[in-house]
Amino acid sequence: MNTRGPADKGLRLYPFRGLRYVPERVGSLAAVTSPPYDVVVRPDGLLHLESADPHNIVRLILPQADSPAARPEQAAATLQRWLAEGILAADSEPALYVYEQRNDEILQRGLVGALALSGPAEGIVLPHEDVMAHVVEDRADLMRTTAAHLEPLLLTYRSDGDATGATAVIERTIQGPPLLATTTEDGFSHRLWAVTDPADRTEIERDLAGRQALIADGHHRWATYLRLQREHTVPGPWDFGLVLLVDTARYPLRVRSIHRLLHGLPVRDALAALDGLFRVRTVEGPLPRALDALAAAASEGNAFLLAGDGAFHLADRPDETLLARTVPADRPAAWRTLDATVLHSALLDHVWRIPDDPARIAYIHDTAAAVEQAERHDSTAVLMHPVREEVVRDLARQGVTMPRKSTSFGPKPATGLVLRSLALG
């Protein structure tokens, strides 16, 4: 499969021989899975996962070693040991995989496969967020050294909503017995099936031709795929990336926020700097009630919830002159009015003067965890209200990227159910 020639328009999803845990060699499939690497709240979440099972996938996606340079080598050695010991094994034939997640509130189904890579100019896979160079470097070191894709990106596309094409294959496939089934501690059940019939794969191929996808989760891994592809000049396995592709016309995703933890900035100092620039008022807890107040304020304009001193402070109605002098004017109005844009351009860059550096800002998906860490370290948690999916997709189609870590689509695929070894081709 040579993808270096003129790119076909549309998504091209190919089968691969998935690496999967051998159930008889681990305590349980649930105990060896993990959330995506950037959702694990370190160090508490990391230690919890490491103690769940000695073969938990977190030992590969977030390896711990004496130095950053030693971490990828440790992950590679661990992966090779698990393969040699039969903890992980490759499926006997290439397949696309139907993946299902469900709980009491949501059902998600999609296809896991090796997607032919394409650059932003081709308009096939649309990013909507900027990336951080140090994270891409970290993921590149890990993928390059392990020669593996350890967790799939989450990509979305929108069909007409009919039960045809890929959807028809998915809904036929789930009538049969799954390869695996497990329920993780977050209450989600997970099932995986293999699609190996050539007619089914042809039906999927025809359906995806001409479609474009939005990166819902995994911008840094997608940027890493492209970087590593450029490093390998000979066509081969580095021309493809492991993805989960979901049709949101059939299975809508949730869109949540990613919150900011500002190290070294006590809430009292953060609030003092906002005087005269935002309307600031204390709102009642507990956290769900305070978030309701944030949602109400966000429906009228930019709004943020600050926490870390045992209370909740709502900051809204930003001063228009502050926005005029800090927010770049050469972008669409939908971008200029994003909460993340105002936070980074006005507050972080000009009011609080905090560089976007991991030593100063942590990005946390879990709201309660952000508040707890802020209170523990006398720092400020900035809680955000989620962006609507249609706003994200519209900006992506215009080629406009949002500030990094602006959205969190979900549910995210569990890491550890199926991996892709590049050594298998």
Side-chain angles (χ1 to χ4, degrees), residues 42-55:
R42 290 184 269 190
D44 295 351
L46 181 64
L47 294 174
H48 173 73
L49 291 165
E50 287 182 332
S51 63
D53 189 284
H55 302 107

Side-chain angles (χ1 to χ4, degrees), residues 96-100 173-179 191-195:
L96 297 175
Y97 297 88
V98 172
Y99 176 47
E100 176 190 273
T173 301
I174 63 170
Q175 302 306 312
L179 295 174
R191 296 195 293 172
L192 193 75
W193 295 261
V195 178

Side-chain angles (χ1 to χ4, degrees), residues 43-96:
D44 295 351
L46 181 64
L47 294 174
H48 173 73
L49 291 165
E50 287 182 332
S51 63
D53 189 284
H55 302 107
N56 189 283
I57 194 70
V58 78
R59 297 179 186 276
L60 299 183
I61 63 172
L62 290 173
Q64 301 301 296
D66 294 335
S67 69
R71 291 171 188 163
E73 296 290 346
Q74 178 161 308
T78 300
L79 176 59
Q80 291 305 312
R81 185 173 69 253
W82 289 357
L83 288 168
E85 295 173 351
I87 305 302
L88 288 166
D91 285 336
S92 59
E93 61 180 319
L96 297 175

Side-chain angles (χ1 to χ4, degrees), residues 305-364:
L305 193 65
L306 277 57
D309 62 350
F312 298 102
H313 310 275
L314 182 64
D316 63 356
R317 300 185 183 179
D319 178 66
E320 292 297 331
T321 59
L322 171 69
L323 301 184
R325 65 183 174 85
T326 59
V327 176
D330 59 346
R331 302 288 185 91
W335 182 90
R336 297 197 306 271
T337 56
L338 289 169
D339 286 337
T341 298
V342 172
L343 173 62
H344 283 262
S345 296
L347 289 174
L348 295 177
D349 290 351
H350 289 85
V351 177
W352 293 326
R353 298 186 181 279
I354 296 178
D356 195 355
D357 181 277
R360 298 299 307 276
I361 303 176
Y363 294 85
I364 300 180

